[in-house]
Amino acid sequence: MPRRMIELLDKKHVKKEFDCGKSLLNQYLHNQAGQDIKRRLTVCFVLADPEDNKVQGYYTLSSNGIPLSKLPPQIQKKLPKSYSSIPVTLLGRLAIDKNFQGKGVGKILLIDALKRSYEISKEIGSFAVAVDPIDQEAAAFYEKYDFIKLPDSGKMFIAIGTLKELFE
């Protein structure tokens, strides 16, 4: 497999050929990611071959919150009741080009996203990394990495405390 780099999306990256098989995720990268970055709504990291800059996969990170009442009861009781919403880092999108699916690229991107989220949490409060899987296939992917389903929601999360065990 060719050498690749994970870096912030910019104009040098070739996005137009990216196809993960899910039109919503393709269209986001092709048409919206650049605008969202300019508006500071999200940051988008891409895995690209340094030779031709073709995007092989990407993910987005942004700030978010989960209502305290939506967290599992065993977690709620450990958190202060004065917070109506618990700060989290949202892993909003994660997609792999069809040519690179099944080759560990998703795992590489997820680990990078989790490590960045953990490092950021040292400077900006974040209790967890949250995801809102696009479909059951995506939910199964996150379950493999110990993400916990939120009750009454399609969302999932992994606590920063869990990431601390992994990255320190």
Side-chain angles (χ1 to χ4, degrees):
M1 194 170 270
R3 197 167 89 12
R4 298 175 301 237
M5 297 174 46
I6 299 174
E7 57 193 353
L8 287 167
L9 175 68
D10 70 24
K11 291 182 184 344
K12 75 178 180 185
H13 294 113
V14 179
K15 306 179 294 185
K16 67 182 185 292
E17 297 172 32
F18 182 85
D19 180 9
C20 68
K22 298 184 190 318
S23 63
L24 194 65
L25 295 172
N26 293 338
Q27 290 305 314
Y28 180 80
L29 182 65
H30 297 162
N31 302 320
Q32 189 177 340
Q35 290 301 311
D36 282 2
I37 292 165
K38 284 180 191 166
R39 293 180 184 117
R40 303 228 183 267
L41 298 174
T42 193
V43 290
C44 182
F45 291 91
V46 297
L47 183 70
D49 185 315
E51 299 295 315
D52 60 14
N53 287 313
K54 286 184 182 176
V55 174
Q56 299 169 358
Y58 77 93
Y59 68 85
T60 62
L61 294 175
S62 60
S63 297
N64 205 306
I66 296 175
L68 178 63
S69 62
K70 296 290 184 190
L71 291 169
Q74 69 272 25
I75 294 174
Q76 281 184 42
K77 67 183 175 188
K78 294 178 183 175
L79 296 170
K81 303 295 177 251
S82 57
Y83 283 81
S84 59
S85 183
I86 301 301
V88 298
T89 301
L90 178 66
L91 173 53
R93 293 166 181 85
L94 189 151
I96 312 305
D97 186 276
K98 283 194 237 180
N99 296 318
F100 298 93
Q101 291 176 6
K103 298 180 180 178
V105 173
K107 181 179 182 178
I108 290 167
L109 285 171
L110 179 61
I111 290 169
D112 190 77
L114 294 176
K115 184 148 179 48
R116 285 180 200 272
S117 297
Y118 172 69
E119 293 300 326
I120 290 166
S121 78
K122 294 176 183 178
E123 297 183 30
I124 297 173
S126 180
F127 174 75
V129 176
V131 296
D132 193 358
I134 194 169
D135 56 23
Q136 190 50 47
E137 180 185 6
F141 172 78
Y142 292 114
E143 275 179 355
K144 276 193 324 194
Y145 297 100
D146 295 331
F147 277 73
I148 300 165
K149 288 185 179 181
L150 287 172
D152 308 320
S153 163
K155 291 185 168 93
M156 303 172 78
F157 75 97
I158 189 166
I160 292 294
T162 302
L163 299 181
K164 182 179 181 181
E165 293 174 24
L166 291 172
F167 297 124
E168 283 196 354

PDB file of all heavy atoms in Angstrom, residues 48-67:
ATOM      1  N   ALA A  48      -4.472  11.009   2.342  1.00  0.00           N
ATOM      2  CA  ALA A  48      -4.199  11.187   0.917  1.00  0.00           C
ATOM      3  C   ALA A  48      -2.815  10.655   0.578  1.00  0.00           C
ATOM      4  O   ALA A  48      -1.906  10.692   1.401  1.00  0.00           O
ATOM      5  CB  ALA A  48      -4.289  12.666   0.537  1.00  0.00           C
ATOM      6  N   ASP A  49      -2.693  10.180  -0.638  1.00  0.00           N
ATOM      7  CA  ASP A  49      -1.394   9.742  -1.134  1.00  0.00           C
ATOM      8  C   ASP A  49      -0.579  10.991  -1.440  1.00  0.00           C
ATOM      9  O   ASP A  49      -1.034  11.856  -2.191  1.00  0.00           O
ATOM     10  CB  ASP A  49      -1.591   8.905  -2.398  1.00  0.00           C
ATOM     11  CG  ASP A  49      -0.287   8.320  -2.903  1.00  0.00           C
ATOM     12  OD1 ASP A  49       0.724   9.056  -2.955  1.00  0.00           O
ATOM     13  OD2 ASP A  49      -0.273   7.135  -3.272  1.00  0.00           O
ATOM     14  N   PRO A  50       0.617  11.150  -0.864  1.00  0.00           N
ATOM     15  CA  PRO A  50       1.398  12.369  -1.101  1.00  0.00           C
ATOM     16  C   PRO A  50       1.855  12.531  -2.549  1.00  0.00           C
ATOM     17  O   PRO A  50       2.206  13.627  -2.962  1.00  0.00           O
ATOM     18  CB  PRO A  50       2.585  12.248  -0.152  1.00  0.00           C
ATOM     19  CG  PRO A  50       2.642  10.833   0.277  1.00  0.00           C
ATOM     20  CD  PRO A  50       1.287  10.235   0.068  1.00  0.00           C
ATOM     21  N   GLU A  51       1.839  11.452  -3.319  1.00  0.00           N
ATOM     22  CA  GLU A  51       2.253  11.535  -4.732  1.00  0.00           C
ATOM     23  C   GLU A  51       1.226  12.275  -5.579  1.00  0.00           C
ATOM     24  O   GLU A  51       1.579  13.151  -6.367  1.00  0.00           O
ATOM     25  CB  GLU A  51       2.464  10.125  -5.306  1.00  0.00           C
ATOM     26  CG  GLU A  51       3.543   9.326  -4.603  1.00  0.00           C
ATOM     27  CD  GLU A  51       4.926   9.916  -4.775  1.00  0.00           C
ATOM     28  OE1 GLU A  51       5.280  10.295  -5.904  1.00  0.00           O
ATOM     29  OE2 GLU A  51       5.647  10.004  -3.758  1.00  0.00           O
ATOM     30  N   ASP A  52      -0.064  11.891  -5.446  1.00  0.00           N
ATOM     31  CA  ASP A  52      -1.086  12.487  -6.316  1.00  0.00           C
ATOM     32  C   ASP A  52      -2.164  13.259  -5.547  1.00  0.00           C
ATOM     33  O   ASP A  52      -3.054  13.842  -6.154  1.00  0.00           O
ATOM     34  CB  ASP A  52      -1.735  11.412  -7.198  1.00  0.00           C
ATOM     35  CG  ASP A  52      -2.411  10.309  -6.404  1.00  0.00           C
ATOM     36  OD1 ASP A  52      -2.622  10.467  -5.182  1.00  0.00           O
ATOM     37  OD2 ASP A  52      -2.722   9.264  -7.013  1.00  0.00           O
ATOM     38  N   ASN A  53      -2.080  13.274  -4.212  1.00  0.00           N
ATOM     39  CA  ASN A  53      -3.020  13.990  -3.345  1.00  0.00           C
ATOM     40  C   ASN A  53      -4.463  13.522  -3.454  1.00  0.00           C
ATOM     41  O   ASN A  53      -5.383  14.233  -3.048  1.00  0.00           O
ATOM     42  CB  ASN A  53      -2.936  15.502  -3.582  1.00  0.00           C
ATOM     43  CG  ASN A  53      -1.662  16.078  -3.013  1.00  0.00           C
ATOM     44  OD1 ASN A  53      -1.290  15.779  -1.880  1.00  0.00           O
ATOM     45  ND2 ASN A  53      -0.961  16.861  -3.804  1.00  0.00           N
ATOM     46  N   LYS A  54      -4.699  12.326  -3.990  1.00  0.00           N
ATOM     47  CA  LYS A  54      -6.064  11.800  -4.053  1.00  0.00           C
ATOM     48  C   LYS A  54      -6.530  11.413  -2.664  1.00  0.00           C
ATOM     49  O   LYS A  54      -5.834  10.710  -1.934  1.00  0.00           O
ATOM     50  CB  LYS A  54      -6.142  10.586  -4.987  1.00  0.00           C
ATOM     51  CG  LYS A  54      -6.055  10.947  -6.442  1.00  0.00           C
ATOM     52  CD  LYS A  54      -6.243   9.722  -7.310  1.00  0.00           C
ATOM     53  CE  LYS A  54      -6.105  10.098  -8.783  1.00  0.00           C
ATOM     54  NZ  LYS A  54      -6.185   8.918  -9.648  1.00  0.00           N
ATOM     55  N   VAL A  55      -7.737  11.865  -2.320  1.00  0.00           N
ATOM     56  CA  VAL A  55      -8.311  11.555  -1.017  1.00  0.00           C
ATOM     57  C   VAL A  55      -8.746  10.088  -1.008  1.00  0.00           C
ATOM     58  O   VAL A  55      -9.513   9.646  -1.852  1.00  0.00           O
ATOM     59  CB  VAL A  55      -9.511  12.476  -0.705  1.00  0.00           C
ATOM     60  CG1 VAL A  55     -10.187  12.057   0.587  1.00  0.00           C
ATOM     61  CG2 VAL A  55      -9.050  13.933  -0.624  1.00  0.00           C
ATOM     62  N   GLN A  56      -8.232   9.356  -0.024  1.00  0.00           N
ATOM     63  CA  GLN A  56      -8.574   7.945   0.135  1.00  0.00           C
ATOM     64  C   GLN A  56      -9.595   7.753   1.253  1.00  0.00           C
ATOM     65  O   GLN A  56     -10.296   6.749   1.289  1.00  0.00           O
ATOM     66  CB  GLN A  56      -7.305   7.146   0.415  1.00  0.00           C
ATOM     67  CG  GLN A  56      -6.313   7.246  -0.729  1.00  0.00           C
ATOM     68  CD  GLN A  56      -4.942   6.687  -0.374  1.00  0.00           C
ATOM     69  OE1 GLN A  56      -4.702   6.244   0.745  1.00  0.00           O
ATOM     70  NE2 GLN A  56      -4.036   6.712  -1.327  1.00  0.00           N
ATOM     71  N   GLY A  57      -9.655   8.711   2.148  1.00  0.00           N
ATOM     72  CA  GLY A  57     -10.615   8.683   3.241  1.00  0.00           C
ATOM     73  C   GLY A  57     -10.587  10.022   3.955  1.00  0.00           C
ATOM     74  O   GLY A  57      -9.656  10.795   3.784  1.00  0.00           O
ATOM     75  N   TYR A  58     -11.638  10.282   4.717  1.00  0.00           N
ATOM     76  CA  TYR A  58     -11.684  11.535   5.469  1.00  0.00           C
ATOM     77  C   TYR A  58     -12.536  11.383   6.716  1.00  0.00           C
ATOM     78  O   TYR A  58     -13.325  10.444   6.838  1.00  0.00           O
ATOM     79  CB  TYR A  58     -12.199  12.684   4.599  1.00  0.00           C
ATOM     80  CG  TYR A  58     -13.697  12.704   4.367  1.00  0.00           C
ATOM     81  CD1 TYR A  58     -14.540  13.439   5.198  1.00  0.00           C
ATOM     82  CD2 TYR A  58     -14.278  12.010   3.308  1.00  0.00           C
ATOM     83  CE1 TYR A  58     -15.909  13.469   4.991  1.00  0.00           C
ATOM     84  CE2 TYR A  58     -15.641  12.040   3.089  1.00  0.00           C
ATOM     85  CZ  TYR A  58     -16.454  12.769   3.938  1.00  0.00           C
ATOM     86  OH  TYR A  58     -17.817  12.788   3.743  1.00  0.00           O
ATOM     87  N   TYR A  59     -12.350  12.329   7.647  1.00  0.00           N
ATOM     88  CA  TYR A  59     -13.241  12.439   8.795  1.00  0.00           C
ATOM     89  C   TYR A  59     -13.342  13.900   9.190  1.00  0.00           C
ATOM     90  O   TYR A  59     -12.484  14.715   8.842  1.00  0.00           O
ATOM     91  CB  TYR A  59     -12.790  11.560   9.971  1.00  0.00           C
ATOM     92  CG  TYR A  59     -11.513  11.968  10.655  1.00  0.00           C
ATOM     93  CD1 TYR A  59     -11.502  12.932  11.661  1.00  0.00           C
ATOM     94  CD2 TYR A  59     -10.301  11.366  10.331  1.00  0.00           C
ATOM     95  CE1 TYR A  59     -10.329  13.288  12.307  1.00  0.00           C
ATOM     96  CE2 TYR A  59      -9.122  11.709  10.974  1.00  0.00           C
ATOM     97  CZ  TYR A  59      -9.154  12.671  11.965  1.00  0.00           C
ATOM     98  OH  TYR A  59      -7.990  13.029  12.604  1.00  0.00           O
ATOM     99  N   THR A  60     -14.420  14.225   9.919  1.00  0.00           N
ATOM    100  CA  THR A  60     -14.619  15.583  10.406  1.00  0.00           C
ATOM    101  C   THR A  60     -14.739  15.572  11.931  1.00  0.00           C
ATOM    102  O   THR A  60     -15.230  14.607  12.522  1.00  0.00           O
ATOM    103  CB  THR A  60     -15.890  16.236   9.815  1.00  0.00           C
ATOM    104  OG1 THR A  60     -17.042  15.496  10.225  1.00  0.00           O
ATOM    105  CG2 THR A  60     -15.819  16.306   8.300  1.00  0.00           C
ATOM    106  N   LEU A  61     -14.268  16.651  12.547  1.00  0.00           N
ATOM    107  CA  LEU A  61     -14.391  16.842  13.988  1.00  0.00           C
ATOM    108  C   LEU A  61     -14.975  18.224  14.260  1.00  0.00           C
ATOM    109  O   LEU A  61     -14.633  19.191  13.575  1.00  0.00           O
ATOM    110  CB  LEU A  61     -13.023  16.762  14.677  1.00  0.00           C
ATOM    111  CG  LEU A  61     -12.293  15.430  14.670  1.00  0.00           C
ATOM    112  CD1 LEU A  61     -10.914  15.582  15.301  1.00  0.00           C
ATOM    113  CD2 LEU A  61     -13.101  14.352  15.392  1.00  0.00           C
ATOM    114  N   SER A  62     -15.846  18.302  15.263  1.00  0.00           N
ATOM    115  CA  SER A  62     -16.394  19.583  15.702  1.00  0.00           C
ATOM    116  C   SER A  62     -16.834  19.454  17.157  1.00  0.00           C
ATOM    117  O   SER A  62     -16.878  18.360  17.711  1.00  0.00           O
ATOM    118  CB  SER A  62     -17.565  20.018  14.810  1.00  0.00           C
ATOM    119  OG  SER A  62     -18.599  19.059  14.858  1.00  0.00           O
ATOM    120  N   SER A  63     -17.159  20.582  17.755  1.00  0.00           N
ATOM    121  CA  SER A  63     -17.670  20.595  19.128  1.00  0.00           C
ATOM    122  C   SER A  63     -19.153  20.272  19.102  1.00  0.00           C
ATOM    123  O   SER A  63     -19.853  20.597  18.142  1.00  0.00           O
ATOM    124  CB  SER A  63     -17.485  21.980  19.753  1.00  0.00           C
ATOM    125  OG  SER A  63     -16.121  22.282  19.828  1.00  0.00           O
ATOM    126  N   ASN A  64     -19.617  19.645  20.177  1.00  0.00           N
ATOM    127  CA  ASN A  64     -21.027  19.286  20.262  1.00  0.00           C
ATOM    128  C   ASN A  64     -21.368  19.089  21.731  1.00  0.00           C
ATOM    129  O   ASN A  64     -20.519  19.248  22.600  1.00  0.00           O
ATOM    130  CB  ASN A  64     -21.274  18.004  19.444  1.00  0.00           C
ATOM    131  CG  ASN A  64     -22.692  17.874  18.959  1.00  0.00           C
ATOM    132  OD1 ASN A  64     -23.629  17.947  19.748  1.00  0.00           O
ATOM    133  ND2 ASN A  64     -22.859  17.670  17.664  1.00  0.00           N
ATOM    134  N   GLY A  65     -22.588  18.711  21.967  1.00  0.00           N
ATOM    135  CA  GLY A  65     -23.024  18.419  23.320  1.00  0.00           C
ATOM    136  C   GLY A  65     -24.080  17.329  23.297  1.00  0.00           C
ATOM    137  O   GLY A  65     -24.790  17.166  22.304  1.00  0.00           O
ATOM    138  N   ILE A  66     -24.141  16.585  24.373  1.00  0.00           N
ATOM    139  CA  ILE A  66     -25.168  15.559  24.542  1.00  0.00           C
ATOM    140  C   ILE A  66     -25.952  15.941  25.795  1.00  0.00           C
ATOM    141  O   ILE A  66     -25.353  16.181  26.853  1.00  0.00           O
ATOM    142  CB  ILE A  66     -24.544  14.159  24.734  1.00  0.00           C
ATOM    143  CG1 ILE A  66     -23.776  13.724  23.487  1.00  0.00           C
ATOM    144  CG2 ILE A  66     -25.614  13.129  25.087  1.00  0.00           C
ATOM    145  CD1 ILE A  66     -23.031  12.401  23.646  1.00  0.00           C
ATOM    146  N   PRO A  67     -27.289  16.007  25.702  1.00  0.00           N
ATOM    147  CA  PRO A  67     -28.061  16.287  26.919  1.00  0.00           C
ATOM    148  C   PRO A  67     -27.729  15.260  28.005  1.00  0.00           C
ATOM    149  O   PRO A  67     -27.666  14.057  27.726  1.00  0.00           O
ATOM    150  CB  PRO A  67     -29.515  16.160  26.464  1.00  0.00           C
ATOM    151  CG  PRO A  67     -29.472  16.379  24.975  1.00  0.00           C
ATOM    152  CD  PRO A  67     -28.139  15.839  24.533  1.00  0.00           C
TER     153      PRO A  67
END
